[in-house]
Amino acid sequence: MTEREELLLKMYDQMHRDIHRHILVVWQSVGVVVGAFAIFALVEKNVLPLDLAAGLMVLLCGWLIAHLLDASYWYNRNLVIIANIERQFLAPSDLREIHYYWGRHRESGAMLTHLRIQKYLGIGVATVVLLYHFSVRIYPGFYSTFEFGSFEPIRAVPYLILLVVIVFSFYLRHNRNASYTEFLKNSPGRDVDDRGVFYGVGHRVSSSECDKMRQDGEPPVSGTED
């Protein structure tokens, strides 16, 4: 085995380890979000105001979603590197005899199903907390007479934090997608003759790969990534 082949295989193993590390980080963050419900025990004991507790929960959910977006980028980027290394060793016939994922790269923004499930958990927890806070701290005020000076700014804390979380999440998502697109543009890997291979629900391909398929006379396909 040449030194180049040894280096590529070591990179191959390291990319898999990086993916595994980011997956574990996400599970740890889910445990932190679930455990954060202990915060509401402090509310019952009047140690922490409900407004701050709800804001903290929204912040933790936003933190979880940010980790999911970053983990998804690392997964997709490392998968490109792994596929490019596989293209150095595998033959086009291996697309059918082993697996076809290395034939084309995933589309930008694709997220694994189990990462999406955790993202929905974060969104769901934040929604429930905000609905509860709204019903207890905001809604009753609609039926009372407004008096100047009676407004409590602290009641707006959860919603201000929600606004910051939404803005930052959109920024991070755009940044991670742009980084992935840049990576694909600069390191597309060796061309592979994958005529006859179907890419659909199991492996959505990037827009640049769709352009290649059009040039090859193959209709691009799309579906739900797993």
Side-chain angles (χ1 to χ4, degrees):
M1 183 179 294
T2 65
E3 291 183 352
R4 181 175 183 276
E5 290 172 340
E6 289 183 0
L7 175 63
L8 290 176
L9 290 176
K10 286 181 180 177
M11 286 180 61
Y12 188 79
D13 292 336
Q14 184 60 44
M15 292 302 104
H16 275 295
R17 281 195 290 270
D18 283 350
I19 288 176
H20 184 64
R21 176 166 57 86
H22 277 269
I23 297 299
L24 286 181
V25 167
V26 169
W27 278 113
Q28 290 170 0
S29 61
V30 171
V32 172
V33 170
V34 174
F37 278 102
I39 293 174
F40 283 95
L42 299 178
V43 175
E44 287 189 357
K45 296 179 181 178
N46 295 321
V47 176
L48 189 68
L50 176 61
D51 305 305
L52 292 183
L56 185 57
M57 285 297 298
V58 173
L59 184 63
L60 286 173
C61 291
W63 177 71
L64 167 63
I65 292 172
H67 270 291
L68 291 170
L69 292 172
D70 192 50
S72 183
Y73 161 72
W74 273 80
Y75 177 86
N76 291 336
R77 193 210 67 165
N78 284 16
L79 210 58
V80 171
I81 298 175
I82 289 171
N84 286 348
I85 293 174
E86 288 173 335
R87 292 179 183 185
Q88 299 289 325
F89 296 97
L90 300 179
S93 60
D94 292 324
L95 290 168
R96 295 186 179 281
E97 295 176 5
I98 300 178
H99 74 89
Y100 67 96
Y101 285 3
W102 58 278
R104 304 274 177 173
H105 296 310
R106 289 158 59 93
E107 70 170 0
S108 177
M111 181 177 280
L112 288 173
T113 301
H114 88 95
L115 294 183
R116 284 206 306 270
I117 291 173
Q118 293 175 64
K119 182 181 73 173
Y120 297 147
L121 171 65
I123 294 174
V125 169
T127 301
V128 170
V129 169
L130 288 173
L131 286 175
Y132 176 72
H133 180 271
F134 184 85
S135 66
V136 173
R137 298 285 289 163
I138 305 297
Y139 184 72
F142 293 166
Y143 297 95
S144 60
T145 303
F146 177 79
E147 296 181 3
F148 187 78
S150 63
F151 175 71
E152 300 179 48
I154 194 174
R155 298 191 183 195
V157 167
Y159 309 98
L160 292 177
I161 292 177
L162 174 66
L163 180 62
V164 172
V165 166
I166 290 175
V167 172
F168 180 72
S169 296
F170 273 102
Y171 160 76
L172 185 62
R173 181 184 178 187
H174 174 75
N175 178 271
R176 297 292 76 186
N177 288 347
S179 297
Y180 181 73
T181 302
E182 177 184 299
F183 191 88
L184 280 183
K185 183 179 180 180
N186 291 318
S187 304
R190 177 180 291 177
D191 287 337
V192 178
D193 183 4
D194 62 345
R195 284 175 292 184
V197 176
F198 173 78
Y199 298 95
V201 175
H203 189 70
R204 287 190 300 176
V205 299
S206 68
S207 57
S208 61
E209 299 290 0
C210 285
D211 293 339
K212 289 181 182 178
M213 295 175 74
R214 290 191 183 93
Q215 293 172 3
D216 295 338
E218 300 176 47
V221 293
S222 62
T224 302
E225 181 60 49
D226 187 15

